[in-house]
Amino acid sequence: LILDMFINSSLADYQAQYNIVWAENLPANTPPNNIVFAEGNDDYIFRLSESETGYDEQDFVPLARKPHRQLNQNFLGQSYGLSSFIDEDAARRHMLLPNIRRKFKSLIKICTSAEYGVLQNTPSNNNVDHFTWWHTQTFMQKLQTEQIIIKVE
C-alpha cells in the first residue's frame, strides 16, 4: 500500500521532530493536526502541471496566493496547501477527467522527504485519492538547487 510509505503523525509530533519553516504564512489550525509525511528519501508526491515542457514555479504557488481567487472560508487552510497525490495511478486517472485535462498538461513526480512538508488526505467529489500538501521553505530551497523533480511527463 502506497500510504504505508508515509508516516501517520500529529502535527505537534512532526514539528517537534523536524525543525521546519512553512513556505507560506499559514492561517490558524493549518496544517490540520492529523497528517502524514514521507518516511524516507524514496517517497514521491505527484502534482499536475499546466506546463507541457516541464514545471514552473507557479506549480508550487498555493491557490490562496493566486490573484482573483475567491476562497471558501470552510477550506481556507486547504487553499494554502498544494493539490497532490501520493499514488501515480490515481494522479493519472485524475488527469483523464475532461475539466482537468483541459487545464493540466503534464504530471510531475517529486522526490520527497519529511523535511519537505506534510500531507492530509482531502478527498474531493471526483477523487478520493486527493491529498493537500503543505510544503516547507526547505522544499523551495531544494527545488532551486537539486534535482528533486524526478520526471516530467
Side-chain angles (χ1 to χ4, degrees), residues 72-142:
N72 181 332
Q73 293 303 305
N74 294 331
F75 298 99
L76 185 62
Q78 192 174 329
S79 70
Y80 281 84
L82 299 172
S83 185
S84 304
F85 296 87
I86 61 172
D87 179 341
E88 184 172 0
D89 291 336
R92 290 186 183 285
R93 284 191 306 273
H94 191 68
M95 282 189 75
L96 295 175
L97 297 172
N99 59 328
I100 301 298
R101 192 172 46 226
R102 278 191 291 277
K103 182 175 182 181
F104 297 101
K105 306 301 182 213
S106 62
L107 179 66
I108 54 178
K109 182 177 183 178
I110 304 156
C111 185
T112 191
S113 73
E115 293 84 9
Y116 292 173
V118 300
L119 299 109
Q120 183 184 52
N121 184 221
T122 50
S124 65
N125 291 338
N126 57 10
N127 200 315
V128 296
D129 298 309
H130 180 271
F131 279 76
T132 299
W133 173 36
W134 292 272
H135 63 298
T136 63
Q137 286 184 2
T138 301
F139 169 76
M140 293 306 291
Q141 292 162 356
K142 298 278 185 172

Side-chain angles (χ1 to χ4, degrees), residues 26-31 76-77:
L26 301 174
N29 303 315
T30 305
L76 185 62

Side-chain angles (χ1 to χ4, degrees), residues 14-27:
Y14 169 80
Q15 289 177 309
Q17 186 174 356
Y18 298 95
N19 186 21
I20 57 95
V21 177
W22 300 113
E24 300 288 331
N25 290 321
L26 301 174

Side-chain angles (χ1 to χ4, degrees), residues 44-45 54-55 59-60 107-111 133 139 142-143 146-153:
Y44 302 98
I45 295 172
Y55 71 94
D59 291 328
F60 302 102
L107 179 66
I108 54 178
K109 182 177 183 178
I110 304 156
C111 185
W133 173 36
F139 169 76
K142 298 278 185 172
L143 186 61
E146 296 181 21
Q147 290 287 28
I148 57 176
I149 304 293
I150 300 300
K151 65 180 178 180
V152 179
E153 298 180 353

